[in-house]
């Protein structure tokens, strides 16, 4: 399919005398075109006159992966870059290499594969056999050095990897496996990223995506992004306004990062978009940021998502997310008044310290919301906890799949009269946990999954000791596969937060440069 006919503002450059870069998104095109980070790197690479960068996404079948711009296979490119946001995409990357006739094993191929993305900040070990260099950094912080190195040494895999490995944020496992890596972040943030490549074939159809802040300081203990992006950072009102001024009148605009933005400043600048007849959308909202001043921005919005996570007062303390039922109801009523048609509410099952009474509390909470008959379509989505690296929950246990199935059945039975329920498959949560918490052994699992072998059979063939990955020792000195990565947040702080969770104590909300609790701000001070 010629996807370019559904797009606007893409790059189509000649290859002659240019370095060719394949920017791989190891999932479907529709998801790639909804990912601001991926689109931003694509745009930035193509601003360099001596580089031609083309997008390559996972094909729907077992077809040869080819670029969107010129239908070229991966083998035609000088360098393969990939951006990985989700652990379930680990096998997809290997699958794409296999489909392209490229040996997935880094040490046995000539092709250069360089990987970045937030999933790899958490734990790149399961991909160590397949990737030549992991770049654990925000693009803005490393663009100059990376482009310089790529431009000078792209013609030699040996030289390029050797030079990249000199940076503290790069891990080349075939060169220096035991290296300590420090994530590179941009401070202060300057110009907000804006995606101006538009597509009709995506969830956010023909929508400009723009980031107004990065990170979140609420400290929800399960949220990896909330920890690895610390300290949360904001763009200036002047820079946001400058970027907003480039968006054409009548456009659809997706606002990302509203959670930690200066609400007063962002609301005032967003109103300028409304004056240009732009339609604004928000991927999700934090409940305690929603107030009447904000609702004017939603006048063109039909639906929105919020995340109470649980109806249990006890588990709210475990999560460090103390939002009352009254607050949720208040927000829903306001959303109704401002014309929203539907709201999706997200919940998590399988949380630490979760008991039958906590599930009953969530059931009562959902029933209570439905009983008010607000005139809004309410949909409820239930997922299962995946204990992520670099969070307080990295010491949490992933429950047995059978136990999670029982929790699902219990909640489903309690809410049997409501049809707007969606449950994640517990086996998918198990796979996510193995991939994001894995070590070298899980690399073998990735290889089998990439070949289409089902998880159950793959686990049996490899004889993987699940307890090792699903039930870590509750010890502050326990060595995780990802401990070699410094995300700026200290392990000691995460351990203290894990103890607070078990003691049902709320944690510290992030106040950049006003405290030294997690150590992230002190990392900035030494830049």
């Amino acid at each position: 399919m010629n996807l370019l006919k559904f797009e606007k503002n893409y790059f189509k450059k000649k290859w002659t005398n240019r370095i060719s870069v394949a920017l791989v998104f190891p999932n479907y095109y529709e998801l790639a075109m909804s990912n601001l980070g991926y689109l931003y790197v694509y745009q930035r690479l193509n601003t360099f006159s001596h580089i031609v960068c083309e997008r390559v996404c996972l094909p729907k079948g077992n077809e040869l992966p080819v670029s969107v711009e010129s239908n070229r296979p991966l083998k035609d490119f000088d360098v393969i870059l990939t951006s990985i946001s989700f652990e379930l995409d680990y096998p997809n990357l290997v699958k794409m290499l296999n489909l392209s006739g490229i040996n997935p094993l880094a040490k046995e191929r000539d092709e250069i594969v360089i990987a970045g993305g937030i999933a790899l900040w958490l734990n790149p070990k399961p991909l160590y056999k397949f990737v030549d260099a992991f770049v654990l950094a925000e693009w803005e912080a490393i663009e100059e050095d990376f482009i310089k190195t790529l431009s000078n040494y792209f013609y030699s895999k040996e030289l390029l990897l050797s030079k990249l490995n000199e940076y503290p944020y790069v891990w080349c496992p075939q060169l220096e496996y035991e290296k300590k890596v420090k994530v590179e972040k941009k401070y202060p943030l300057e110009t907000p990223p804006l995606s101006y490549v538009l597509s009709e074939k995506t969830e956010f159809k023909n929508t400009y995506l723009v980031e107004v802040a990065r990170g979140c300081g609420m400290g929800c203990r399960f949220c990896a992004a909330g920890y690895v992006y610390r300290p949360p950072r904001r763009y200036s009102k002047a820079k946001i306004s400058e970027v907003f001024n480039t968006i054409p009148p009548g456009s659809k605009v997706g606002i990302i990062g509203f959670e930690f933005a200066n609400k007063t400043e962002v609301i005032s600048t967003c109103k300028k978009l409304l004056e240009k007849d732009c339609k604004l959308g928000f991927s999700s909202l934090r409940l305690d940021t929603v107030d009447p001043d904000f609702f004017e921005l939603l006048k063109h919005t039909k639906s929105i998502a919020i995340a109470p996570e649980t109806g249990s007062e006890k588990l709210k303390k475990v999560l460090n997310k103390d939002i009352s039922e009254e607050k949720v109801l208040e927000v829903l009523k306001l959303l109704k008044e401002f014309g929203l048609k539907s709201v999706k509410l997200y919940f998590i099952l399988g949380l630490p310290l979760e008991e039958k009474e906590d599930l009953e509390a969530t059931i009562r909470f959902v029933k209570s919301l439905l009983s008010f008959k607000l005139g809004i379509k309410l949909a409820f989505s239930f997922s299962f906890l995946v204990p992520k690296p670099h969070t307080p929950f990295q010491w949490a246990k992933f429950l047995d799949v059978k136990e999670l199935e029982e929790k699902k059945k219990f909640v489903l039975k309690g809410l049997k009269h409501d049809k707007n329920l969606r449950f994640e498959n517990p086996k998918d949560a198990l796979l996510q946990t193995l991939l994001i918490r894995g070590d070298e052994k899980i690399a073998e699992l990735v290889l089998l999954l990439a070949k289409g072998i089902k998880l159950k059979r793959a686990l049996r063939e490899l004889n993987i000791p699940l307890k090792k990955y699903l039930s870590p020792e509750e010890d502050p000195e326990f060595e995780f596969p990802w401990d070699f990565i410094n995300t700026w947040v200290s392990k000691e702080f995460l351990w203290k937060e894990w103890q607070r969770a078990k003691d049902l104590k709320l944690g510290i909300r992030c106040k950049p440069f006003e405290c030294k609790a997690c150590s992230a701000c002190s990392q900035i001070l030494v830049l």
Side-chain angles (χ1 to χ4, degrees):
M1 179 187 296
N2 178 17
L3 293 169
L4 293 182
K5 67 182 180 181
F6 302 105
E7 292 188 356
K8 298 176 183 177
N9 306 328
Y10 57 83
F11 292 87
K12 189 81 178 284
K13 299 166 81 171
K14 293 182 179 179
W15 280 45
T16 307
N17 298 323
R18 286 191 170 105
I19 302 169
S20 57
V21 176
L23 188 61
V24 169
F25 192 86
N27 210 310
Y28 300 131
Y29 170 85
E30 293 81 1
L31 293 176
M33 294 303 293
S34 302
N35 188 293
L36 175 58
Y38 177 75
L39 294 175
Y40 180 69
V41 173
Y42 167 71
Q43 293 165 183
R44 290 302 307 161
L45 284 168
N46 277 305
T47 62
F48 295 90
S49 60
H50 66 292
I51 293 175
V52 53
C53 175
E54 298 188 354
R55 294 160 290 156
V56 184
C57 303
L58 181 71
K60 290 291 175 73
N62 288 322
E63 299 89 357
L64 176 71
V66 294
S67 66
V68 173
E69 287 76 8
S70 64
N71 289 313
R72 293 177 184 259
L74 288 177
K75 277 193 170 187
D76 283 4
F77 291 84
D78 294 316
V79 177
I80 299 168
L81 299 186
T82 183
S83 176
I84 303 180
S85 300
F86 307 101
E87 55 271 18
L88 288 178
D89 290 341
Y90 287 1
N92 288 340
L93 173 62
V94 178
K95 178 181 178 180
M96 290 181 72
L97 293 175
N98 282 330
L99 289 173
S100 300
I102 296 174
N103 193 322
L105 299 178
K107 65 181 181 180
E108 296 180 11
R109 65 164 180 257
D110 296 325
E111 293 85 359
I112 304 168
V113 177
I114 301 172
I118 188 173
L120 302 178
W121 295 17
L122 300 181
N123 183 18
K125 282 283 180 73
L127 284 179
Y128 88 103
K129 282 188 172 185
F130 316 114
V131 172
D132 296 295
F134 295 93
V135 180
L136 308 184
E138 294 175 342
W139 180 260
E140 304 96 323
I142 60 136
E143 179 181 88
E144 183 178 351
D145 288 338
F146 182 81
I147 294 298
K148 181 180 178 180
T149 306
L150 178 69
S151 301
N152 289 337
Y153 303 105
F154 73 94
Y155 60 88
S156 168
K157 180 175 181 177
E158 181 180 0
L159 279 175
L160 179 60
L161 297 183
S162 175
K163 294 298 180 180
L164 285 175
N165 196 52
E166 293 177 4
Y167 296 116
Y169 52 84
V170 173
W171 181 46
C172 297
Q174 311 305 322
L175 296 183
E176 190 180 355
Y177 189 79
E178 300 299 330
K179 180 180 179 179
K180 300 292 185 181
V181 182
K182 182 179 180 181
V183 173
E184 191 78 7
K185 304 177 189 178
K186 178 68 174 176
Y187 184 83
L189 293 177
E190 296 172 359
T191 303
L194 169 69
S195 68
Y196 47 82
V197 183
L198 306 181
S199 174
E200 296 177 16
K201 296 287 186 178
T202 179
E203 181 179 351
F204 304 114
K205 181 179 178 180
N206 291 328
T207 300
Y208 292 88
L209 302 176
V210 60
E211 181 183 69
V212 296
R214 186 169 298 172
C216 174
M218 300 308 295
C220 297
R221 293 181 175 123
F222 62 90
C223 180
Y227 286 95
V228 299
Y229 280 124
R230 286 195 179 203
R233 290 149 286 156
R234 295 167 172 158
Y235 299 94
S236 69
K237 180 180 179 181
K239 287 294 185 181
I240 293 174
S241 295
E242 186 179 306
V243 169
F244 280 6
N245 287 338
T246 67
I247 298 175
S251 300
K252 293 168 65 178
V253 184
I255 306 295
I256 297 170
F258 186 78
E259 293 86 349
F260 196 72
N262 184 311
K263 285 200 300 179
T264 303
E265 292 183 355
V266 173
I267 287 173
S268 66
T269 50
C270 281
K271 286 181 179 178
K272 295 180 180 178
L273 290 175
L274 294 180
E275 291 170 3
K276 296 198 297 183
D277 198 31
C278 291
K279 298 178 181 179
L280 307 185
F282 299 82
S283 55
S284 63
L285 291 179
R286 207 179 71 214
L287 286 163
D288 56 352
T289 66
V290 177
D291 55 36
D293 291 337
F294 168 76
F295 281 101
E296 185 180 346
L297 306 183
L298 298 177
K299 66 180 184 179
H300 296 297
T301 303
K302 301 293 187 199
S303 63
I304 209 158
I306 57 178
E309 316 296 4
T310 180
S312 163
E313 294 302 316
K314 182 187 83 178
L315 293 184
K316 289 176 186 178
K317 294 182 175 66
V318 174
L319 291 170
N320 196 32
K321 191 163 185 174
D322 195 18
I323 304 294
S324 68
E325 180 175 337
E326 290 73 23
K327 178 63 177 178
V328 176
L329 183 59
E330 174 191 338
V331 168
L332 290 176
K333 287 179 177 178
L334 286 170
L335 290 172
K336 168 61 177 175
E337 289 178 17
F338 280 83
L340 263 78
K341 303 297 184 183
S342 64
V343 176
K344 178 178 283 188
L345 296 95
Y346 289 99
F347 294 86
I348 303 175
L349 302 177
L351 293 168
L353 308 185
E354 184 177 83
E355 299 174 304
K356 179 182 177 182
E357 291 76 14
D358 301 302
L359 299 179
E360 291 172 338
T362 293
I363 292 170
R364 285 196 301 272
F365 174 54
V366 171
K367 286 183 174 179
S368 175
L369 294 179
L370 291 171
S371 70
F372 285 100
K373 300 186 183 303
L374 296 170
I376 301 177
K377 179 183 177 182
L378 299 180
F380 304 94
S381 179
F382 293 86
S383 62
F384 298 95
L385 177 69
V386 175
K388 294 292 180 82
H390 303 291
T391 72
F393 281 7
Q394 66 182 0
W395 284 277
K397 295 179 180 179
F398 180 84
L399 301 182
D400 182 85
V401 168
K402 290 183 180 179
E403 188 174 350
L404 295 178
E405 285 283 6
E406 289 301 316
K407 291 177 181 290
K408 173 183 173 180
K409 290 178 182 178
F410 185 84
V411 173
L412 195 56
K413 182 178 180 181
L415 298 172
K416 59 185 177 182
H417 297 298
D418 187 73
K419 296 181 180 179
N420 293 312
L421 302 176
R422 189 188 73 82
F423 287 84
E424 178 189 20
N425 188 328
K427 292 179 182 178
D428 290 340
L430 169 62
L431 176 56
Q432 289 179 61
T433 303
L434 289 172
L435 292 175
I436 204 62
R437 297 172 64 91
D439 55 13
E440 299 83 354
K441 182 72 173 177
I442 298 301
E444 301 297 331
L445 176 64
V446 170
L447 196 57
L448 293 183
L449 293 172
K451 294 178 180 178
I453 296 174
K454 299 297 183 182
L455 176 60
K456 186 176 181 179
R457 177 185 161 191
L459 292 175
R460 186 171 62 248
E461 286 188 16
L462 297 173
N463 194 27
I464 290 178
L466 293 183
K467 184 178 179 181
K468 175 183 177 182
Y469 306 104
L470 307 183
S471 298
E473 293 180 23
E474 285 208 45
D475 182 342
E477 302 301 321
F478 181 76
E479 291 189 17
F480 293 105
W482 51 86
D483 279 347
F484 73 104
I485 299 173
N486 174 7
T487 67
W488 302 23
V489 175
S490 71
K491 191 174 180 180
E492 292 77 15
F493 171 77
L494 298 177
W495 174 257
K496 288 178 182 177
E497 279 295 296
W498 174 238
Q499 300 310 302
R500 290 190 186 102
K502 293 190 296 181
D503 292 338
L504 305 183
K505 294 180 180 179
L506 294 175
I508 301 170
R509 290 194 174 186
C510 186
K511 298 178 179 179
F513 304 105
E514 293 183 25
C515 79
K516 299 179 181 179
C518 76
S519 83
C521 292
S522 62
Q523 302 274 351
I524 277 184
L525 294 174
V526 300
L527 291 179

